[in-house]
Amino acid sequence: MDENLNILKQYQSVIDNTLIVSKSDLNGIITYVNKKFCDISGYSVYELIGSPHSMLRHPDMPKDVFKDLWNTIKSGKSWQGLVKNLAKDGSYYEVNSTIVPIFEDGKIIEYISFREDVTEKNRLQRELDFEHRRAKAILDNQAGIVVMISDTKELVDINQTFFEHFNFSDLNDFKLEHQCICELFITCDGYLLPSLKDIHWVDTILEDSLKVHKAKMIDKNGDEKSYKVQLRSIEIDDEKFYLGTFSDITELEIALQVAKEAEKSKADFMANMSHEIRTPMNGIVGFTKLLLKSELTQQQKKYLSIVDNSTNTLLGIVNDILDFSKIQSGKMELDIVKINPFKDLEETFLLFESKAREKSIKYNINIDSLISECIKIDILRVKQVMSNLIGNAIKFTPQDGIIEIDVSVKQQKKHTQRVLFSVRDSGIGVSKEAQAKIFEAFSQADASTTRKFGGTGLGLSITSTLVKMMGGDLQVESELGDGSKFFFEMDVEICNIENKISNVLRHHCICIIEDENKEYQKIITQLKHFGIDFRISKPNLDEIKGYYKECDLVIAFDNSIALHVEHSVANSKPKVIVISDNFVDETKNSNIVVVNSYNECPSILYNLLLEMDYSATKTDTTKQSKESSFDLKVLVAEDYDINQMLIEEMLKAYSITPTFAQNGQEACDILKQNDFDLVLMDINMPILNGVEATLYIRENISKTVPIVALTANALEGDRERFLEVGMSEYLTKPINKDELEKVLREFSISETKKELAKETTALEVEDIDISKNIQKSMGSLGLPEAIVKKLISKFVTSSKESLLNCEKALENMDYENIARAFHNIKGSSGTLFFNDIFELAKEMEANAKEQKDMNYKDVLNKIEESLKVIESKL
């Protein structure tokens, strides 16, 4: 008995320490309370015993709750519920209450209540509920659609905005049909695709988070809507979620499309206008140049020169308008290439020398010898800028004036140089007022300038924009009537050069005859700067004899000494460069080169030395004459008869007799019946234009015959567009003779030979000459041999991995991963000049993208064999 009593006391102790306990009689009068009851209510035991329970009732509690309570316990059942009570100090507390009737002899004698304090718990829950409602309200009232996705890509929530625009009542309704919002995406180029099995739309955004991603969906009204999609990662209680926002940009996209169509119409107009002007100009320019080479009287040459200059002026105006259009449409792009500034810039600057001499203008060119022999710039745009500035300087400088062109280093860093380009003249100058607007489009100093000197007023505007694109800022310093200086600075990257002048001349002996001439010391300094070895001889004829018998180049300043050197050696005559303003050689010997304007253009000597090839002069001449003849069958698709005549004359110079087609359809018909090594395809033709004809040829006649586009449109992006439809190269009208010859040389191998070479490319793997690849890569990448070998080794390793990935993809015919594997091999093999592997990988990538059923395994084996050979020769 005592033991049972002890156990009951322990139970009571546990209950008293965890629960609020009280007892009451049948009328609700309190007969017992434990300590926790007193603590929470604030009343003492004496205040509570004998008092009704109703003294603790909070006024917010509904009466129906207590009515239900009494009805339940009086019937002998237990009652459970939440009760809000009022403490002695006026505060409230909430309890989960369980009231149990106590029976004796079958009758209820009292009630006992067990309560759990849930005040704080309920307060926190209410706060949590409020935060949830607030977050939900904020989410639902967003203008855009907001979706929450779990780390496992499961859709967790979508805001109300989504249901306002799409035909679903709530999330559960949506999930009855879909698992992902991406299932509503419309397949459209440039937009997010419906998520594939292994690629979720979330992953697509995460892989390129800096890109602007868009999606298209059809709303409940059947309208196509465009959305900008943004994604961010969030964490809630250490669990990762993604929050995606879909902002409606439909109106913006429509406006953008309208703008693009307007821009396309503008570009089409510019292209058509260019074509209409350039097509007849092609005939005028071409035949004028052909006539100038024929036997003419002086008067005829004079008249034709005027025609030639006029057409060049008109062509310049057309080019200005086209460049302005490209800049306005944002289609102007830079093409950064390696150049030798002493060679490439000087060539451009010297083109204007004759025009300057016509006006007796002193024309000085200074290309700073501190500039690297190899820099990276957009040479075409730099030439365009400098040509415009020099042309203006000549135009606005009067007779006997001065023009100074300067290209000099302003700052030297490890891998870059800051270079100043400037053109100074002694011309009419520009007023301060005019300088404020001189770089604006269609603006010149004043209306009289246009009347007197001509021009579109676009030149400086285009020039200024091009300079900005290259990272510079075109500026002007000028005083009205006192000349002008136009200048800009830009950073250029220094690159490695294979044919440094010091390397070109390392096997040659150069002798300089000592002289008091002011240019003598300048030339010594110049040669030392470029690392060119030379000997110095006293101007003593006996001493000179000891040198010029050994040397193959002599630089002299005295006329008599120069002639003595040239005439004194019977068998092996050295080249003689004479630096003199008044040298006269009546024999006009080819071994003597006269520089009579060294101070005006010091880089002339650099280029003379660079171009000197003493050992192979005759060989080069023979080689050039052979290269001027090409064994090619050429089909020309051209509808303009004058252009047909011109192209025929130009091709005759290379011993080519072309076949002509009047339109694209006729070209296709001729190709069906005959084989050709090259097709020159005009773009704008009747029946079938050049693009349509090319597409038909590639699909139905030949995938390999070279097709070169001929176009007068010359808009940015044309070359890429023509190559994309299957053309091989691109020529603009008026056709440039050098560009035409370059194309003829490139495609001088017949189609049959190319096919044969293509078929045997990967089979002759034992012929791979790794040393050539190393040398080409060193020159292209500007890297030392050791680094290039490491790159090739890495290429072999990574290509083997790509081959393994491709084999796995082939098991399931996973074309996407097959294409990706060949793409990886193509990129690195092309960079390192493994052209055979490049061509195979390129072709297989294209086939995989089109999901063609090919023997990919055979190609894998061929590439693998090639890789083994490369690896063995490293």
Side-chain angles (χ1 to χ4, degrees):
M1 184 70 177
D2 291 337
E3 185 179 348
N4 291 337
L5 183 62
N6 184 44
I7 292 173
L8 287 173
K9 285 182 178 180
Q10 289 183 48
Y11 287 160
Q12 182 179 355
S13 175
V14 171
I15 292 171
D16 283 341
N17 287 315
T18 56
L19 298 174
I20 302 163
V21 182
S22 68
K23 290 196 293 185
S24 63
D25 63 15
L26 299 178
N27 296 314
I29 303 299
I30 298 171
T31 58
Y32 168 82
V33 294
N34 68 351
K35 184 176 182 301
K36 289 187 74 70
F37 196 114
C38 296
D39 292 341
I40 195 171
S41 67
Y43 290 102
S44 67
V45 174
Y46 303 105
E47 291 175 305
L48 291 168
I49 300 297
S51 300
H53 251 297
S54 58
M55 68 178 288
L56 302 170
R57 185 182 300 176
H58 194 282
D60 289 348
M61 284 295 296
K63 293 179 180 179
D64 288 346
V65 172
F66 296 103
K67 183 177 180 181
D68 176 64
L69 184 156
W70 280 107
N71 289 337
T72 301
I73 60 178
K74 282 183 177 181
S75 67
K77 298 176 182 177
S78 297
W79 181 88
Q80 289 181 322
L82 179 69
V83 178
K84 187 175 182 180
N85 286 335
L86 195 65
K88 184 177 180 180
D89 61 4
S91 62
Y92 77 90
Y93 60 94
E94 294 175 312
V95 290
N96 272 333
S97 180
T98 300
I99 302 173
V100 181
I102 303 299
F103 291 87
E104 186 177 293
D105 297 332
K107 293 182 179 180
I108 299 173
I109 58 172
E110 61 180 346
Y111 302 102
I112 186 169
S113 176
F114 303 97
R115 299 176 179 87
E116 178 191 3
D117 182 7
V118 293
T119 308
E120 184 62 18
K121 177 182 175 182
N122 286 352
R123 183 186 69 78
L124 292 174
Q125 185 62 48
R126 282 191 292 271
E127 288 182 1
L128 186 62
D129 290 343
F130 172 76
E131 289 299 326
H132 178 75
R133 291 194 303 275
R134 184 173 71 169
K136 184 69 174 172
I138 293 172
L139 202 62
D140 287 342
N141 285 282
Q142 291 291 311
I145 296 168
V146 182
V147 300
M148 181 178 283
I149 300 160
S150 71
D151 193 29
T152 58
K153 308 299 188 301
E154 182 182 354
L155 182 61
V156 176
D157 200 2
I158 309 182
N159 70 340
Q160 188 59 34
T161 307
F162 172 81
F163 301 110
E164 292 172 1
H165 291 86
F166 294 88
N167 201 21
F168 303 98
S169 57
D170 53 31
L171 182 59
N172 291 330
D173 185 27
F174 175 81
K175 284 190 171 183
L176 289 175
E177 298 181 36
H178 304 284
Q179 294 298 316
C180 175
I181 191 173
C182 60
E183 294 171 25
L184 303 181
F185 293 173
I186 302 171
T187 301
C188 187
D189 188 33
Y191 290 78
L192 289 170
L193 298 173
S195 291
L196 304 174
K197 182 179 179 182
D198 299 323
I199 305 176
H200 197 275
W201 68 273
V202 169
D203 297 322
T204 303
I205 296 178
L206 292 176
E207 285 176 5
D208 192 357
S209 58
L210 297 179
K211 179 183 175 181
V212 175
H213 295 274
K214 297 182 292 184
K216 278 185 182 289
M217 295 185 280
I218 303 292
D219 68 7
K220 62 184 179 183
N221 298 319
D223 297 327
E224 188 178 281
K225 296 290 184 179
S226 298
Y227 296 90
K228 177 182 177 181
V229 186
Q230 294 172 296
L231 193 71
R232 62 177 299 181
S233 172
I234 60 173
E235 284 194 8
I236 302 175
D237 294 336
D238 296 328
E239 189 175 353
K240 189 175 181 180
F241 294 90
Y242 296 104
L243 209 60
T245 305
F246 292 70
S247 304
D248 192 340
I249 56 169
T250 306
E251 291 185 6
L252 181 63
E253 288 285 278
I254 292 172
L256 183 62
Q257 185 61 34
V258 170
K260 283 182 178 179
E261 289 175 0
E263 188 59 46
K264 184 178 183 301
S265 298
K266 177 182 173 182
D268 288 344
F269 169 76
M270 297 301 297
N272 290 332
M273 184 193 73
S274 167
H275 180 266
E276 294 302 320
I277 296 174
R278 283 173 178 264
T279 297
M281 278 182 64
N282 185 44
I284 296 170
V285 171
F287 281 110
T288 300
K289 293 189 182 299
L290 289 174
L291 281 172
L292 282 169
K293 292 179 181 178
S294 63
E295 294 184 9
L296 300 168
T297 65
Q298 286 299 114
Q299 190 176 34
Q300 288 171 333
K301 284 186 177 180
K302 178 182 177 182
Y303 291 161
L304 280 173
S305 295
I306 293 171
V307 173
D308 191 39
N309 289 332
S310 297
T311 51
N312 285 332
T313 301
L314 180 58
L315 189 59
I317 292 171
V318 172
N319 288 337
D320 275 355
I321 295 171
L322 287 171
D323 279 347
F324 181 73
S325 174
K326 293 175 190 175
I327 289 169
Q328 290 288 299
S329 62
K331 292 182 178 179
M332 184 75 79
E333 295 181 357
L334 297 179
D335 182 19
I336 307 298
V337 295
K338 293 181 180 181
I339 66 134
N340 183 331
F342 303 101
K343 182 177 183 295
D344 296 308
L345 293 179
E346 185 200 87
E347 288 175 353
T348 300
F349 300 159
L350 288 177
L351 289 175
F352 293 89
E353 188 176 30
S354 59
K355 288 188 177 181
R357 285 179 179 172
E358 288 174 7
K359 297 176 72 173
S360 299
I361 293 172
K362 188 175 181 182
Y363 189 72
N364 293 338
I365 301 169
N366 176 47
I367 302 177
D368 189 354
S369 59
L370 293 177
I371 298 176
S372 171
E373 286 184 76
C374 181
I375 59 175
K376 290 183 178 181
I377 60 173
D378 185 333
I379 185 59
L380 292 178
R381 296 306 177 193
V382 170
K383 284 182 177 180
Q384 184 178 352
V385 167
M386 294 302 288
S387 296
N388 199 341
L389 296 179
I390 296 169
N392 282 346
I394 293 174
K395 183 193 296 185
F396 297 117
T397 300
Q399 293 284 128
D400 302 315
I402 299 173
I403 293 176
E404 296 176 347
I405 301 161
D406 182 59
V407 183
S408 55
V409 175
K410 302 301 292 182
Q411 188 179 36
Q412 177 74 48
K413 294 183 179 179
K414 186 175 181 180
H415 300 295
T416 61
Q417 290 179 324
R418 188 157 189 81
V419 180
L420 168 70
F421 295 81
S422 73
V423 178
R424 185 192 298 273
D425 65 65
S426 60
I428 62 175
V430 184
S431 68
K432 296 297 181 186
E433 295 77 13
Q435 288 178 36
K437 61 178 183 178
I438 198 169
F439 299 127
E440 295 176 5
F442 306 104
S443 174
Q444 288 190 333
D446 55 44
S448 63
T449 304
T450 306
R451 289 194 299 273
K452 184 175 180 180
F453 297 100
T456 60
L458 289 173
L460 283 176
S461 172
I462 294 168
T463 301
S464 177
T465 303
L466 290 175
V467 170
K468 281 187 173 66
M469 289 176 64
M470 294 185 289
D473 181 24
L474 183 60
Q475 301 177 63
V476 59
E477 293 175 355
S478 183
E479 293 289 341
L480 194 61
D482 195 27
S484 305
K485 176 187 176 183
F486 288 85
F487 61 98
F488 62 94
E489 293 181 8
M490 57 185 280
D491 292 319
V492 300
E493 184 181 345
I494 299 170
C495 47
N496 294 327
I497 182 172
E498 290 182 4
N499 59 333
K500 278 187 176 182
I501 192 167
S502 56
N503 293 334
V504 173
L505 301 174
R506 69 181 182 275
H507 298 304
H508 298 290
C509 174
I510 300 174
C511 178
I512 301 178
I513 311 299
E514 196 175 72
D515 200 280
E516 294 181 357
N517 188 299
K518 60 184 178 181
E519 283 87 10
Y520 169 75
Q521 196 56 51
K522 292 180 181 177
I523 288 174
I524 295 291
T525 303
Q526 185 179 17
L527 296 182
K528 285 182 177 179
H529 170 75
F530 287 112
I532 300 172
D533 293 329
F534 57 88
R535 302 175 183 182
I536 296 177
S537 171
K538 296 287 184 183
N540 180 291
L541 296 181
D542 291 332
E543 185 175 335
I544 291 171
K545 288 180 181 179
Y547 283 109
Y548 65 57
K549 288 181 180 179
E550 301 175 14
C551 293
D552 45 15
L553 173 64
V554 176
I555 300 176
F557 302 86
D558 182 271
N559 295 350
S560 60
I561 291 177
L563 289 170
H564 173 79
V565 171
E566 204 282 322
H567 293 308
S568 296
V569 182
N571 298 321
S572 118
K573 292 186 178 182
K575 286 280 187 181
V576 181
I577 296 178
V578 186
I579 313 294
S580 174
D581 292 332
N582 55 6
F583 180 81
V584 177
D585 179 16
E586 294 181 355
T587 65
K588 296 182 180 179
N589 196 291
S590 60
N591 273 10
I592 295 181
V593 178
V594 182
V595 177
N596 54 21
S597 56
Y598 176 80
N599 277 326
E600 294 178 6
C601 185
S603 58
I604 285 178
L605 179 60
Y606 175 96
N607 283 296
L608 282 174
L609 296 175
L610 186 64
E611 292 168 6
M612 292 270 184
D613 190 351
Y614 314 105
S615 61
T617 305
K618 293 181 180 178
T619 305
D620 286 348
T621 305
T622 306
K623 182 181 177 184
Q624 188 171 349
S625 65
K626 284 184 179 179
E627 287 181 344
S628 64
S629 178
F630 298 100
D631 182 17
L632 289 171
K633 283 185 65 179
V634 179
L635 172 64
V636 180
E638 168 65 64
D639 65 316
Y640 193 52
D641 54 356
I642 293 177
N643 281 345
Q644 288 184 6
M645 293 170 61
L646 176 61
I647 293 171
E648 185 173 19
E649 289 297 322
M650 295 180 79
L651 291 176
K652 276 183 181 179
Y654 301 102
S655 303
I656 296 172
T657 302
T659 301
F660 285 96
Q662 299 293 330
N663 54 63
Q665 182 62 60
E666 189 175 325
C668 294
D669 294 340
I670 293 173
L671 274 172
K672 287 178 181 177
Q673 305 298 323
N674 302 277
D675 292 330
F676 287 89
D677 301 316
L678 176 65
V679 179
L680 300 180
M681 182 76 74
D682 185 34
I683 296 301
N684 293 82
M685 292 185 294
I687 306 179
L688 280 184
N689 64 34
V691 171
E692 293 167 339
T694 299
L695 289 171
Y696 181 84
I697 291 168
R698 291 295 183 236
E699 186 67 27
N700 302 286
I701 303 174
S702 172
K703 295 187 182 296
T704 57
V705 61
I707 302 175
V708 176
L710 300 178
T711 178
N713 293 352
L715 287 179
E716 191 74 27
D718 276 353
R719 184 175 188 276
E720 291 73 16
R721 182 165 61 89
F722 297 145
L723 294 181
E724 189 175 331
V725 300
M727 291 183 167
S728 311
E729 198 41 84
Y730 165 90
L731 286 173
T732 59
K733 297 178 184 178
I735 298 172
N736 181 283
K737 178 181 178 296
D738 293 337
E739 292 298 318
L740 175 61
E741 184 172 333
K742 182 179 176 183
V743 164
L744 294 175
R745 182 171 288 109
E746 180 181 353
F747 299 110
S748 59
I749 302 176
S750 68
E751 182 181 356
T752 306
K753 291 178 182 177
K754 286 185 177 180
E755 281 296 314
L756 182 61
K758 187 174 181 181
E759 290 173 4
T760 58
T761 289
L763 297 176
E764 298 175 358
V765 292
E766 66 275 7
D767 294 334
I768 295 175
D769 187 350
I770 192 74
S771 61
K772 288 183 179 180
N773 293 81
I774 293 172
Q775 291 301 318
K776 287 182 180 180
S777 299
M778 286 170 64
S780 172
L781 302 173
L783 296 172
E785 182 177 350
I787 300 298
V788 171
K789 284 185 175 180
K790 287 183 179 179
L791 287 176
I792 293 176
S793 178
K794 178 63 177 174
F795 155 69
V796 172
T797 304
S798 62
S799 295
K800 286 181 178 179
E801 292 177 2
S802 296
L803 291 177
L804 288 174
N805 293 335
C806 192
E807 284 185 2
K808 292 177 182 177
L810 281 171
E811 293 175 2
N812 302 314
M813 289 313 293
D814 181 353
Y815 286 106
E816 183 177 352
N817 281 319
I818 294 171
R820 183 178 290 117
F822 281 115
H823 175 79
N824 293 337
I825 297 172
K826 180 190 75 173
S828 49
S829 61
T831 302
L832 296 169
F833 296 95
F834 291 107
N835 299 325
D836 299 344
I837 297 176
F838 172 82
E839 291 297 337
L840 280 174
K842 179 183 176 182
E843 183 179 355
M844 290 304 104
E845 180 191 11
N847 290 333
K849 285 183 176 179
E850 296 177 12
Q851 298 191 1
K852 290 185 177 179
D853 186 11
M854 306 284 294
N855 190 353
Y856 296 100
K857 181 66 176 175
D858 185 45
V859 177
L860 288 181
N861 293 336
K862 291 177 182 178
I863 294 177
E864 187 175 13
E865 290 173 20
S866 298
L867 292 174
K868 288 177 181 178
V869 173
I870 294 169
E871 194 170 28
S872 68
K873 293 186 177 184
L874 269 178

